Amino acid sequence: MSRLLVIAAIAISYYVFAILLNSVGTVILQSINSFDITKPQASTLEGFKDLSIAAVSFLVASFIPRVGYKLAMLLGLALVAVACALTPSVASFWFIKLLFACIGTAFALVKVSVYAIIGQLSASTKAHSSLMNTVEGIFMLGVLSGYWVFAWFIDPTNDASLSWLNVYYLLAALVALTFVIVMLAPIKPVENAQATSAFTAFVDMLKLAYKPLVLVFIFSIFLYVLIEQGIGSWLPTFNKEVLGLPTQVSIQITSIFAIALAVGRLTAGAVLTRMHWYPFLNICLAGMAVVMLLSLPLAENVAGEDISHWFDAPLAAFLIPLIGLMMAPIYPVINSVMLSALPQEKHAPMTGLIVVFSALGGTTGSIVTGFVFDAVGGQQAFYLSLVPISILVVTLFFFKKSSSSLAVKGTQTL
C-alpha cells in the first residue's frame, strides 16, 4: 500500500506539471493575442521555463539526495502554487515570464526526485522501463487535459480577453492538492546521502558527462526535445495562422498531439517486450519523417476557409499532430536504457544532466521555430524538424554501439 501511495504521489506530481509546462504553446498564442507581442518575444517563454530547469538542475541535482526527495518536491510544489495564485491578479506578460521561471525551477526539483524514486521502486531493468513509461504516459495525459482546461477559460468572442488567466486559480488548487498527497507519501530518504561532500557530488555529476556513452546520450535527448518542443509549442499558433482555425479550436485540436504522445508512451512498453529498443526507435524516427512529408503539403492554401468547428478543419490539422505517436517512445526509452546502466546513487546526477540538456533542447527548438515561423512561415518552420530527425538517427546508432560495447565488456548491465 505504501508503494502505491508513493507511485500516486509521483504520478500526480508529473500530471500537474504536465499541464503547467506544456501550456506554453497555448500561452504563447494567448500572449500574442492578449498582450500584443511578437512571435520572437512570445518564444522567450520557452526560455524562461527551460533555462530555469537547466540552471536549477545543473546546480542542485547532485545535492537533492542530501536534503531528501520529498522535501525537494514539496518546495517545488509550494513555489508553483503561490505563483499560479498570483498570476490572474497581476495579469502582465512580465509576470507570465516569471511564472514559467518558477514552473521550470520547481520541475527541476520534481523531475530529479521522481526519476530517482523510480529507481528506488524498481528491482530490474524491465520494471524500471515499465514504471518509467507509465509515469511518462501519465505526463502525456496531463498535457492532453491542459489543452482542454485552458480552452475552457478562453473567451471565444474576444481573443484579447484576459479571462484565460483565471485558469491559474484552478491550477493553484490542483497543485495544493498534490502537495498534500506528496506530504503523506512514505518516500524513502537516500542511504549514505551524506557520505560525500556537496562539492564532490557536484563534481561527480560533471564527470558523468565526459563518458563517450553519456555524451552521445545527452546529445540525443537534446535533439529529441528540440523536435518535440519546436512542434508542440507552436502547433496552436500553426493551427490558427497557417490553417485558419479559431483560437479555441486551434488549442483544442492540438490535444490530438498530446493524445498521440500518451498512446505512444503507454503502449511502448508492450511493444518493447517483443522487440529490441534500437530497431523500434529507428522505425519511430522514419515514421516521424513520413508524417511531416505527407501532412505539411496538405496545409498549403487552406487558411481563409470558413472554419468554426473541428469538423470543418482541414485534414492537415488532424495529420500533423500524429507525429506524436511516432516520437512518443523515444525519450523514455533512451532515458531508461541510460539510467538502468547506472547504480542508484548515480540516478540523481544523471537525471540532472538529462533535465539540463532536455531544457536546452526545448528552448532551442521553440526559439528557432518561432524565428523561422515569423520570418518565412509555419510550414517552413515545421519542415525544419526533418534536420534534427536525420541527425538523431545517427546519434542513436552511436548510442547503441557504445551501450553494446559496455555490455560485451561486462562492466555494466544495459
Side-chain angles (χ1 to χ4, degrees):
M1 186 65 182
S2 61
R3 184 176 188 273
L4 290 177
L5 185 56
V6 174
I7 292 175
I10 63 176
I12 192 172
S13 296
Y14 244 45
Y15 179 85
V16 71
F17 273 98
I19 297 175
L20 292 164
L21 290 164
N22 288 276
S23 67
V24 68
T26 300
V27 176
I28 283 173
L29 175 58
Q30 284 307 104
S31 294
I32 293 171
N33 291 336
S34 300
F35 302 119
D36 193 28
I37 59 173
T38 65
K39 291 183 182 69
Q41 286 176 314
S43 72
T44 61
L45 288 179
E46 191 81 48
F48 276 89
K49 171 175 69 75
D50 287 339
L51 294 181
S52 61
I53 293 175
V56 174
S57 298
F58 183 75
L59 294 173
V60 308
S62 58
F63 307 146
I64 286 178
R66 301 168 64 85
V67 301
Y69 300 135
K70 176 185 280 192
L71 180 58
M73 293 177 70
L74 292 175
L75 288 173
L77 290 165
L79 175 64
V80 169
V82 172
C84 285
L86 292 175
T87 298
S89 58
V90 178
S92 175
F93 185 62
W94 72 264
F95 196 82
I96 297 293
K97 292 189 282 189
L98 178 61
L99 170 67
F100 275 102
C102 291
I103 291 170
T105 297
F107 184 64
L109 300 175
V110 169
K111 184 168 184 175
V112 171
S113 300
V114 167
Y115 272 36
I117 292 168
I118 289 173
Q120 289 182 340
L121 297 172
S122 305
S124 66
T125 299
K126 185 174 289 187
H128 190 285
S129 181
S130 175
L131 184 54
M132 177 77 79
N133 271 285
T134 299
V135 171
E136 291 285 356
I138 290 169
F139 185 89
M140 288 300 115
L141 293 177
V143 176
L144 169 61
S145 303
Y147 290 118
W148 288 88
V149 170
F150 271 80
W152 187 41
F153 284 86
I154 290 173
D155 185 348
T157 63
N158 181 13
D159 283 348
S161 171
L162 293 173
S163 62
W164 63 278
L165 292 174
N166 291 324
V167 70
Y168 287 106
Y169 287 131
L170 175 62
L171 294 176
L174 181 58
V175 174
L177 174 63
T178 305
F179 183 95
V180 174
I181 295 173
V182 171
M183 187 167 58
L184 295 175
I187 298 172
K188 296 179 181 178
V190 183
E191 296 180 5
N192 300 320
Q194 304 295 330
T196 58
S197 68
F199 177 76
T200 301
F202 181 72
V203 171
D204 286 344
M205 183 181 76
L206 296 181
K207 286 180 178 178
L208 283 174
Y210 285 103
K211 297 181 180 180
L213 173 62
V214 178
L215 286 172
V216 176
F217 165 70
I218 58 180
F219 189 49
S220 297
I221 59 175
F222 173 89
L223 289 170
Y224 168 81
V225 181
L226 183 149
I227 299 165
E228 182 184 300
Q229 294 302 312
I231 294 173
S233 295
W234 287 96
L235 192 52
T237 305
F238 181 94
N239 288 338
K240 181 178 181 181
E241 298 196 3
V242 178
L243 303 182
L245 307 184
T247 299
Q248 267 194 326
V249 176
S250 296
I251 294 168
Q252 290 170 349
I253 211 165
T254 304
S255 64
I256 297 174
F257 181 62
I259 293 171
L261 285 168
V263 171
R265 288 189 177 174
L266 290 172
T267 58
V271 175
L272 289 167
T273 59
R274 305 187 179 192
M275 187 176 186
H276 190 268
W277 66 267
Y278 178 65
F280 176 60
L281 294 192
N282 275 286
I283 291 171
C284 291
L285 289 169
M288 289 167 62
V290 169
V291 169
M292 298 309 282
L293 290 171
L294 291 179
S295 59
L296 285 175
L298 299 175
E300 295 179 4
N301 304 317
V302 296
E305 299 179 10
D306 186 18
I307 298 171
S308 59
H309 193 273
W310 278 51
F311 299 118
D312 303 320
L315 183 60
F318 299 96
L319 290 181
I320 293 173
L322 294 182
I323 191 173
L325 185 65
M326 302 297 176
M327 70 167 61
I330 297 173
Y331 189 73
V333 168
I334 60 177
N335 281 343
S336 184
V337 170
M338 189 71 252
L339 289 171
S340 297
L342 299 172
Q344 284 192 16
E345 62 269 19
K346 296 292 185 182
H347 283 201
M350 175 54 71
T351 303
L353 293 175
I354 291 172
V355 175
V356 167
F357 285 91
S358 296
L360 294 175
T363 297
T364 304
S366 181
I367 291 177
V368 169
T369 303
F371 272 92
V372 176
F373 200 126
D374 192 54
V376 295
Q379 278 182 282
Q380 288 73 16
F382 276 22
Y383 271 125
L384 194 64
S385 66
L386 295 172
V387 175
I389 288 173
S390 302
I391 300 173
L392 192 50
V393 172
V394 177
T395 63
L396 281 184
F397 170 78
F398 287 105
F399 182 57
K400 166 64 169 59
K401 187 175 180 181
S402 298
S403 62
S404 297
S405 297
L406 279 177
V408 169
K409 291 177 182 178
T411 55
Q412 298 187 57
T413 302
L414 285 168

